[in-house]
Amino acid sequence: MLSLLIVDDEPTIVDTLAFTIHWEQLEIMTVYKAYSAKDALSILSEHAVDIVIADINMPKMNGIELVAQVYQQYRHVKSVLLSGHAEFAYAKQAIKYGVSDYLLKPVSDEDLIAVISRLVQNIKQEWQEVVSQSRVIHTLKESLPILKDKLLNELLMGEMREDSLAYLLDLYELPFHFGDDICFMVIRMEESLLEYNERDFFLMEYAIINIAMEMLGDSHDLWSCKDANGFLVLLVREKSVRDGNGNGDEHKKFESQAMQLQRNIGLYLKRVVSIIVSKWGRFPEDINLLYSHIIEQIRSRLANESGCFLSGQFPEAPIVQQPLYRLYETPTLQHLLESRRWDEYREKLKTVITDMKQAGNLSEEHVREAYTVVISSFYYYAHKHNRLLSNLVGSTAVLDRSVYSVQQLSEWALYMLDKIQRSDQAEQRSSREKMTLKIREYIDGNLSTASLQTIADAIYLHPVYLSRLYKAETGEGISEYIQKQRMLKAIELLKNSSLKIYEISEQMGFKNAAYFSKVFREEYGMTPNEFREQL
């Protein structure tokens, strides 16, 4: 059921229209009343209104100004203007505000009922269109990129039945047919882009797909997705070839274009990528086989390769399987981090990375092994210091960053180490500042008795460590600060009290007045008596 709002500065007109017409028969269950445009806008902001009937001639804000605001803020609301003979032509100008109809005053019940009945039917029809087939198709088209990505991922995993596939290919308007000659192109971004967020990654991947479409779109159909490994995967078919009769020369031409794509990504996006092109096969039966083979090659052979291009039959080469001995030698990464030996940690990490790069065809499992040891040391350090690692490095996104090559491991690990070290240094600096403040507060509150030993006892630190910490933070010794504060307090007492010199000396913690006068003279060039006489 719908709701209606009647607006007129004459209450009798509003009340008459509200109570004399059987609105329920018009499928309107709620009628709101407003005696000014201001009241009408207030009701619209608080209640769901479908139709507004407004008089043109109202003070402060007239009906046309009201429907203009309604049009701007509540596009779904239908407006009807009431006007006298003098304003009728003026009312016609309100068509740009989406006014549905105009009624000449005095309004007859029949005319009003006819207009409202028509608007009710229009509103019902509009809502029906929202759920109609045309709107569903429109929504489907808007969702097509996500649906296509999901469908291709299902095919990669071998999870799609052929009968369902045929229907979805037609529904999603994908130009792939059973028996087509196809291959895969996998694009792996080599730089970890540690400062990037998910939106930045999405835009980068979108740009790469656009370059691929621009270069290959005339001769090939491309169907892309992002797989579970974080790689961009493109399923490719030649537009001019059907029924598995692919031409070897055309395949070589495609490989040449793929190589050029790699160069263009570097040229225009300033990003290093590896591109691996599979052998050619049949759609859809060879999809899972081709994809599985290409991923296996990436995992087993390309862990320490960066910016490489491979195509067709991959060369056979021995896979490195020896342990990463250097990673576990003492002192371990965990021990180095625990004792804050930052430079030694960094050097050991670089040595491990160098060994991995020199190992030849290293597998991705070795990268994951090293990644696990490194991140475990980071977690241990953070939790031992009662912190979350995500807080130390500034975000959770960098903890979830994919690391599948030695180069990415190196960039990620050193980035994380720098973040943790800077966070630790900031925390240490803050801790020293707090300790300095605590020391000074104690001295200011205990000027007569303060000494290195009493301060050390009060804050539970060794006197030697306390002295070094304060000196390193402020550039002056604790004794110097104590004496400076005593002299400042003495000046204050000499100025603003009648205390005798020996009494001030006692309050400042000096053994005798003579020694106090000597220290005062060294500080200000005159004795306390001379200072007071000068005042």
Side-chain angles (χ1 to χ4, degrees):
M1 293 295 181
L2 306 178
S3 60
L4 175 137
L5 170 62
I6 304 172
V7 191
D8 199 308
D9 62 326
E10 295 183 37
T12 55
I13 294 177
V14 174
D15 294 340
T16 300
L17 292 177
F19 295 115
T20 59
I21 295 178
H22 298 293
W23 294 109
E24 296 85 355
Q25 296 178 4
L26 301 177
E27 300 185 51
I28 293 177
M29 294 301 296
T30 306
V31 177
Y32 299 102
K33 300 185 295 181
Y35 305 115
S36 69
K38 180 180 178 181
D39 291 343
L41 291 173
S42 178
I43 291 171
L44 284 162
S45 68
E46 297 175 0
H47 303 281
V49 175
D50 299 289
I51 302 172
V52 172
I53 302 173
D55 183 30
I56 284 185
N57 192 12
M58 291 188 294
K60 294 185 179 178
M61 181 186 292
N62 62 38
I64 291 180
E65 292 171 331
L66 171 61
V67 297
Q69 289 210 28
V70 171
Y71 181 74
Q72 291 175 357
Q73 300 178 43
Y74 312 98
R75 288 293 180 96
H76 69 282
V77 176
K78 309 294 182 186
S79 299
V80 177
L81 284 176
L82 305 179
S83 63
H85 283 286
E87 303 105 14
F88 195 71
Y90 178 47
K92 292 290 184 181
Q93 299 175 14
I95 190 170
K96 61 183 176 181
Y97 302 128
V99 175
S100 300
D101 218 323
Y102 314 90
L103 290 171
L104 195 61
K105 296 172 67 175
V107 181
S108 68
D109 289 353
E110 293 78 11
D111 289 341
L112 182 58
I113 290 171
V115 168
I116 299 303
S117 296
R118 178 174 56 80
L119 292 183
V120 168
Q121 293 306 311
N122 290 346
I123 292 171
K124 290 170 65 177
Q125 183 178 351
E126 288 175 3
W127 280 110
Q128 288 172 354
E129 289 178 357
V130 169
V131 295
S132 68
Q133 184 178 5
S134 62
R135 181 57 61 91
V136 171
I137 292 173
H138 177 70
T139 304
L140 174 64
K141 288 183 176 179
E142 288 185 338
S143 305
L144 270 181
I146 298 173
L147 294 172
K148 289 178 180 179
D149 186 292
K150 181 176 181 295
L151 178 57
L152 183 51
N153 266 291
E154 290 176 352
L155 286 172
L156 298 181
M157 297 296 104
E159 298 173 352
M160 175 58 59
R161 298 201 331 263
E162 289 192 2
D163 55 345
S164 300
L165 176 60
Y167 169 74
L168 293 175
L169 289 173
D170 182 58
L171 181 64
Y172 298 167
E173 299 177 352
L174 287 162
F176 287 79
H177 310 86
F178 287 75
D180 278 350
D181 208 26
I182 52 102
C183 78
F184 277 109
M185 180 164 59
V186 174
I187 302 175
R188 185 179 78 175
M189 283 197 285
E190 301 296 7
E191 298 157 299
S192 51
L193 309 176
L194 294 163
E195 300 285 3
Y196 278 39
N197 56 35
E198 290 304 315
R199 174 177 171 80
D200 296 326
F201 271 105
F202 173 79
L203 293 175
M204 182 66 63
E205 291 158 0
Y206 181 75
I208 289 173
I209 295 298
N210 277 348
I211 292 176
M213 292 295 297
E214 183 70 24
M215 291 185 58
L216 306 171
D218 290 340
S219 56
H220 296 82
D221 289 313
L222 305 179
W223 180 4
S224 66
C225 75
K226 187 173 182 178
D227 72 359
N229 303 293
F231 303 150
L232 286 178
V233 178
L234 284 82
L235 183 62
V236 182
R237 69 174 287 274
E238 295 177 19
K239 288 185 175 180
S240 59
V241 177
R242 290 293 306 275
D243 302 324
N245 297 317
N247 184 290
D249 291 338
E250 291 298 323
H251 293 171
K252 289 181 180 179
K253 180 180 177 182
F254 170 74
E255 291 176 6
S256 175
Q257 290 175 305
M259 191 178 296
Q260 183 62 47
L261 170 64
Q262 183 186 38
R263 287 196 289 264
N264 285 353
I265 291 171
L267 180 63
Y268 298 117
L269 299 182
K270 311 301 181 187
R271 293 298 165 207
V272 177
V273 299
S274 286
I275 292 183
I276 303 92
V277 178
S278 74
K279 296 183 293 185
W280 290 77
R282 292 287 188 91
F283 182 87
E285 59 264 32
D286 291 336
I287 285 181
N288 179 250
L289 180 64
L290 293 174
Y291 172 74
S292 299
H293 180 66
I294 204 171
I295 294 301
E296 177 61 28
Q297 295 300 317
I298 291 173
R299 287 178 174 171
S300 63
R301 303 180 186 280
L302 303 183
N304 58 4
E305 298 290 340
S306 181
C308 62
F309 181 89
L310 293 177
S311 64
Q313 186 67 44
F314 300 102
E316 292 298 329
I319 300 172
V320 176
Q321 295 182 350
Q322 73 266 22
L324 301 174
Y325 292 111
R326 199 78 67 108
L327 187 63
Y328 302 101
E329 289 178 352
T330 57
T332 65
L333 291 175
Q334 180 176 311
H335 292 149
L336 292 173
L337 202 58
E338 185 179 2
S339 54
R340 292 189 172 94
R341 292 151 68 181
W342 306 104
D343 292 338
E344 291 180 58
Y345 187 106
R346 190 173 282 103
E347 286 306 312
K348 176 163 184 172
L349 186 61
K350 289 179 179 178
T351 300
V352 171
I353 294 297
T354 300
D355 288 350
M356 294 175 72
K357 286 182 176 179
Q358 293 174 350
N361 293 293
L362 199 72
S363 75
E364 188 178 314
E365 283 192 12
H366 288 83
V367 176
R368 301 303 300 177
E369 178 188 2
Y371 170 84
T372 302
V373 173
V374 172
I375 199 168
S376 294
S377 70
F378 292 157
Y379 276 121
Y380 177 82
Y381 174 85
H383 297 167
K384 184 175 180 181
H385 291 84
N386 200 29
R387 300 285 299 278
L388 291 175
L389 182 56
S390 56
N391 291 338
L392 285 178
V393 299
S395 73
T396 58
V398 71
L399 300 182
D400 301 326
R401 188 73 77 235
S402 297
V403 175
Y404 37 70
S405 70
V406 177
Q407 181 62 31
Q408 286 186 331
L409 173 66
S410 175
E411 292 178 9
W412 171 84
L414 291 173
Y415 173 87
M416 291 280 286
L417 183 64
D418 287 342
K419 284 279 190 179
I420 293 170
Q421 184 178 0
R422 285 199 294 270
S423 179
D424 176 80
Q425 290 170 344
E427 188 173 333
Q428 292 291 323
R429 188 162 51 251
S430 175
S431 177
R432 289 196 300 270
E433 289 172 354
K434 289 178 182 177
M435 184 59 67
T436 300
L437 181 62
K438 195 172 182 180
I439 292 169
R440 288 180 171 178
E441 286 176 347
Y442 177 86
I443 292 171
D444 294 343
N446 302 273
L447 267 178
S448 63
T449 59
S451 68
L452 180 59
Q453 186 62 54
T454 60
I455 299 168
D457 292 341
I459 61 179
Y460 307 106
L461 288 177
H462 192 279
V464 176
Y465 175 74
L466 174 65
S467 177
R468 289 175 180 172
L469 184 150
Y470 187 85
K471 180 84 172 178
E473 186 66 20
T474 65
E476 67 176 351
I478 287 181
S479 298
E480 295 174 41
Y481 180 78
I482 293 173
Q483 180 168 304
K484 183 170 64 176
Q485 294 304 110
R486 285 174 173 172
M487 291 298 99
L488 290 173
K489 184 65 176 178
I491 290 285
E492 182 182 334
L493 293 175
L494 288 168
K495 284 182 178 179
N496 303 315
S497 76
S498 58
L499 291 174
K500 299 185 181 337
I501 301 299
Y502 77 89
E503 292 175 323
I504 295 175
S505 171
E506 289 175 356
Q507 283 196 22
M508 295 302 97
F510 288 91
K511 296 178 181 179
N512 55 64
Y515 181 63
F516 168 63
S517 296
K518 177 177 181 296
V519 172
F520 192 93
R521 185 184 185 89
E522 290 175 352
E523 185 73 22
Y524 297 110
M526 63 185 76
T527 66
N529 278 324
E530 290 171 341
F531 179 82
R532 182 170 270 177
E533 289 171 0
Q534 180 177 300
L535 290 175

